[in-house]
Amino acid sequence: MGEALGVAVLGAGHMGADHVRRLDRVVSGARVAAVADPDADRARAAGGDLPGCTLHTDALAALDAPGVEAVLIASPAEAHEAALLGCFERGLPVLCEKPLAPDARGALRLAEAEAASGGRLARVGFMRRYDPEYQALKELLDGGKLGRPLMLHCTHRNVSSPPHFTSEMLIGSSVSHEIDAARWLLGEEIDAVTVLRPRSTAHAPQGLRDPQFVVMETSGGVLVDVEIYVNSGFGYQVRCEAVCEGGSARIGEDHAMVVHSAAGAGQEIAQDYLTRFAEAYDTEVRDWVAAVRAGGPADGPSVWDGYVASVVAEAGIASLNSGARVPVRLAPKPGIYA
Amino acid sequence: MGEALGVAVLGAGHMGADHVRRLDRVVSGARVAAVADPDADRARAAGGDLPGCTLHTDALAALDAPGVEAVLIASPAEAHEAALLGCFERGLPVLCEKPLAPDARGALRLAEAEAASGGRLARVGFMRRYDPEYQALKELLDGGKLGRPLMLHCTHRNVSSPPHFTSEMLIGSSVSHEIDAARWLLGEEIDAVTVLRPRSTAHAPQGLRDPQFVVMETSGGVLVDVEIYVNSGFGYQVRCEAVCEGGSARIGEDHAMVVHSAAGAGQEIAQDYLTRFAEAYDTEVRDWVAAVRAGGPADGPSVWDGYVASVVAEAGIASLNSGARVPVRLAPKPGIYA
Amino acid sequence: MGEALGVAVLGAGHMGADHVRRLDRVVSGARVAAVADPDADRARAAGGDLPGCTLHTDALAALDAPGVEAVLIASPAEAHEAALLGCFERGLPVLCEKPLAPDARGALRLAEAEAASGGRLARVGFMRRYDPEYQALKELLDGGKLGRPLMLHCTHRNVSSPPHFTSEMLIGSSVSHEIDAARWLLGEEIDAVTVLRPRSTAHAPQGLRDPQFVVMETSGGVLVDVEIYVNSGFGYQVRCEAVCEGGSARIGEDHAMVVHSAAGAGQEIAQDYLTRFAEAYDTEVRDWVAAVRAGGPADGPSVWDGYVASVVAEAGIASLNSGARVPVRLAPKPGIYA
Amino acid sequence: MGEALGVAVLGAGHMGADHVRRLDRVVSGARVAAVADPDADRARAAGGDLPGCTLHTDALAALDAPGVEAVLIASPAEAHEAALLGCFERGLPVLCEKPLAPDARGALRLAEAEAASGGRLARVGFMRRYDPEYQALKELLDGGKLGRPLMLHCTHRNVSSPPHFTSEMLIGSSVSHEIDAARWLLGEEIDAVTVLRPRSTAHAPQGLRDPQFVVMETSGGVLVDVEIYVNSGFGYQVRCEAVCEGGSARIGEDHAMVVHSAAGAGQEIAQDYLTRFAEAYDTEVRDWVAAVRAGGPADGPSVWDGYVASVVAEAGIASLNSGARVPVRLAPKPGIYA
């Protein structure tokens, strides 16, 4: 396939450093050409040992570093807009971690800017689309063997929430994965969101509404319900059942090794998303590197998908606060996303 | 334990005839003393061969037949009130199939009549309380090992609906099982019901709203959601997952024999409730016969439980028709049900 | 069905007392007419409160007690022969717990005695034939959908062995269930047995060979392997996988309620055979009572089946002691067992 | 990590071509520097488009091609010895597909040659050691939580056997995976093998002994049994249950997506080893490339492991033909494998 693709990684925190490792050691055909982080120590820790890799505290400078042919953005959401606009100006292919932007308004500006640049350059990191189980479910639904989908029942549980996690972030940060996955699995838009509030677990920090139960209605009449429960105490669990006219299909059931001992019959539960979706992250980046090297226009989850996820999440947050059903209203879709 | 208990069975249709068989062949300590059905042929087919069993077309006459010490009502809902009042007048212990009455108003009259009779005589046939898996779940929740419950996710699927099944009957006939099971599992009342309407399956008869998605809120803030889908096409499936502060527990997963063949790995799915809950029906009647013979006051699911199920179902039907959340309002509870 | 069948229960130990309870409270159409045990206190504890039930220290006296129409033998194996011969002389239908006799020679005497009595009167208590999962497996194999069976893989585990359990009893007492189940499932005789001896668990009493691995070859060339492990420490587990020309089928997988908590995902494991096979015992006795009342000749597991199980077990014990493959040799089969 | 490792791939058949693709597109840090196959067209199809990759019909010439720093051997077993000796002479690190050699004698010559070369250079492709489930099982056993292992029950099934597959190849080609996995999981040698022969499936080609049941005894007294069934008709299924003093653990149970439809509840079964062990192959090669680049002596499955697998398989084939238990005798182990 020729020379390895030179990638600049923006942001060298937990996720950014993991992507540096992935590009260097796991994904073939790529090399890390630049690492940028406002904290020079973090940039050095992530990329200091890599031959031919320059270090930067300024993200835009990294875009112009020698050998940079593509960009992976793993900085905080607030920094995404400037970085993406920098990529669009330079015509650089880019993979941007979710969320695309801190709010829907910012996401829309990015969609319009990409459209103005003349074509698609960016992918957004909705990595569930690269998980083998989600892909098997989509293939089954697309094949039509089970008839039209009528409902999606989703479960999304974490062991515990990080400090400063707010009730709104259960929607904006966690459920945003289900928002994108539902749109992708069904090929339909979401028209309205209602957030129901069961009593909160005693294990949630004071004031945190956890769990929540999110009900979404699609343009085609499919009902999507999501249990989001971030202080479940027992594991990272992501399940999805598609109920169709001709049957149902479930993914995310626990499997792997079954142990019997005096404690009963049991299976280990994954404890975090980097374990559960390790393969999906690898596939996502590998697929992106291969696509960029092949030279076609960007495909996969788009800036528009990132924008829609923001709009739906904002409707969900409005419903969380009001208790009412909130309709979803989208801006007109630029032609490049047709 | 002495002589077998003489039971009059009212109603000799599908369910009544099955109860006659059960009392005669499966449950020890009981005998069928009388069978009543307006259709004399049906009564004869069910009880004609049983020694010492008299046949009747009038239900009240059966209550007065020789040897009748207790009554099992399996006639249509419209006939329950007269039969139960006849039992209350005569002081006869009675097990009445669900629904207790065609509407909440009639159910309330029965609760008041039983209260006026001075004590509990009746049980209502919510047989899930006798299913080993439901009992294991209740024992787990009561034991407190998983902490307080926060949500119940329920699934209730049939292969296909009988003719003349209406959209309202998905709530009033099918979900009434989950209404009682939720109250019993949680020990809490239901305060409000919202019925959501996903698009209907093409396999439902014209005009039938199937599936539906019912969301109930309990007095303690637990959220109970129920997928009811009566034309699923593939089996009879009753699942319940209790999500608690300290973990979750699921029952109704498919199990039994696992077969691998060229068709894939598979398991048989039960096709109807008489298969799935066969043991629960046996246990329900066996437990009732033993309790009556032991001579104490009636316990188990009460006329009041039957009344509450009716009220909640009527709220659900109102929500189905209006699309809105409908609060549940109960009459004052007579002292005998405290 | 007329009057209840009067049953004499011989032996009022753990199993006998459980059968008294079953006949009195669970199985319809039967009553306990007599209880016999050399220990008068045990007889009284089991049957003292039952109306119309006489108590005996002499088993044969119980056979002649008023109202006795059939006999259930739950006394120690050493007492079976005299009791069964008493039943054969009196023409009394009898259900005898396994093992039929302490050794194959005694079992053969019983088969010859029953044959001399002119017809079948006895059933032997191989209760797995009445377990719903075993029945489903047999139905599947008989239906031919999976083609001819080639192998059976069996697992038989207990939490711990009772005191005085010997290495020979792993074969003679435990594996005898698999011996009968294999013959019944396959419809073939067992031609040879080899017992392999893995290293013993540190949790077994000194000198006990536990686990053992038993390999049996049938007349049709099917290989049956059995892991018997009576000090497994974690549960009562009985599994069977039939491997066929067109697929495989497994029963005895753990199922029921699935719990997720900080301890992981888990399921409860049954702790003893009275839990795992509770329904099978009920069905076995119910089926026997119904068959006796129906008045035909005895069917179900026969004295001959009890004899064959003894012969195969003795071959297994010989192999356990010699380490060699031991062929199985059966006496000519009396005509009544054809 | 510096420049990519230049690898010569010997053999461009099904497996060799797959390794070329893996080194080029999946594994980071490696590039294909040479491809050799006696059939020039196959070499060209596999490596013709790769920049900097030379094509050869002579394997030894490929070892001397520009940029070759390591070798992956995927040629037929008959060609392994010459290729490995070539690598030893040149001091080239090498990953050799299994079986190491056509017979144990040839494998021993290779172990002695590698020992004479002064240190370990080769790994053998027992890829199950890189499967996440096998690794989890080994970690559990090594951790000691379940106590000492007593038995391993293994299942190894294919949909159908390729043409010219012989009864001996069920042992030498298929069970050799379980031979290595058992030694690796248990850390013990195999002392004896007995091959039992159930009746053959009608779906096996005329004369093929399929299935077979292989019983191995380890130096520590663990019993390892393997069902090998290469014409099962339904899927590729590799299971392993370790039965220990304190419990049991199973891997290879079917999992992934669960589908319910009118056909019943079901799961897809993998159809071949490239699907089931896709991740293991990737990890095996990735791990090897990283280890070679790190520059230490070779570790992982050794030439000695390949030799032992050959010896045990030959004992198994002797047992298959004689019906008797065959002891395993190993040559003295060279010091470099200690």
Side-chain angles (χ1 to χ4, degrees), chain D residues 29 33 57 67 70 74 126-127 203 240 289 292 321:
Chain D
T57 52
F126 288 118
M127 92 292 182
H203 303 312
C240 182
V289 167
V292 170
N321 291 325

Side-chain angles (χ1 to χ4, degrees), chain A residues 1-3 22-30 49-51 133 136-137 140 146 241 246-262 268 279 282 286 293, chain D residues 1-3 22-30 49-51 133 136-137 140 146 241 246-262 268 279 282 286 293:
Chain A
M1 287 182 105
E3 289 307 295
R22 183 171 287 114
L23 287 164
D24 183 48
R25 311 229 179 135
V26 178
V27 171
S28 78
D49 292 339
L50 304 180
E133 294 192 37
L137 181 57
L140 182 72
L146 294 187
E241 177 173 23
S248 84
R250 291 194 289 174
I251 58 171
E253 295 304 306
D254 307 287
H255 43 244
M257 189 164 59
V258 182
V259 178
H260 291 79
S261 67
E268 214 177 322
E279 199 178 342
D282 288 356
R286 179 177 300 129
R293 295 180 82 191
Chain D
M1 286 181 106
E3 289 306 296
R22 182 171 287 113
L23 288 164
D24 183 48
R25 311 229 179 138
V26 178
V27 171
S28 78
D49 291 339
L50 305 180
E133 295 193 35
L137 181 57
L140 182 72
L146 294 187
E241 177 173 23
S248 84
R250 293 194 288 173
I251 58 172
E253 295 303 307
D254 307 287
H255 43 244
M257 188 164 61
V258 182
V259 179
H260 292 80
S261 66
E268 213 177 321
E279 198 179 340
D282 288 355
R286 179 177 300 129
R293 296 180 81 193

Side-chain angles (χ1 to χ4, degrees), chain A residues 101-188:
Chain A
D103 55 25
R105 181 189 294 255
L108 183 58
R109 279 196 302 268
L110 286 166
E112 290 167 349
E114 189 181 33
S117 83
R120 287 194 51 192
L121 284 166
R123 273 197 199 181
V124 177
F126 289 118
M127 91 291 181
R128 288 199 191 166
R129 300 194 187 190
Y130 300 94
D131 175 63
E133 294 192 37
Y134 271 93
Q135 291 182 330
L137 181 57
K138 178 156 177 62
E139 194 179 332
L140 182 72
L141 295 180
D142 286 353
K145 224 178 83 179
L146 294 187
R148 292 194 316 167
L150 307 173
M151 288 174 284
L152 291 187
H153 302 313
C154 309
T155 311
H156 185 154
R157 295 171 183 157
N158 300 80
V159 179
S160 60
S161 56
H164 311 305
F165 212 71
T166 65
S167 297
E168 285 75 15
M169 291 169 77
L170 270 77
I171 310 288
S173 174
S174 302
V175 177
S176 63
H177 282 292
E178 271 79 17
I179 293 171
D180 183 68
R183 293 178 62 242
W184 175 68
L185 286 170
L186 299 170
E188 299 188 1

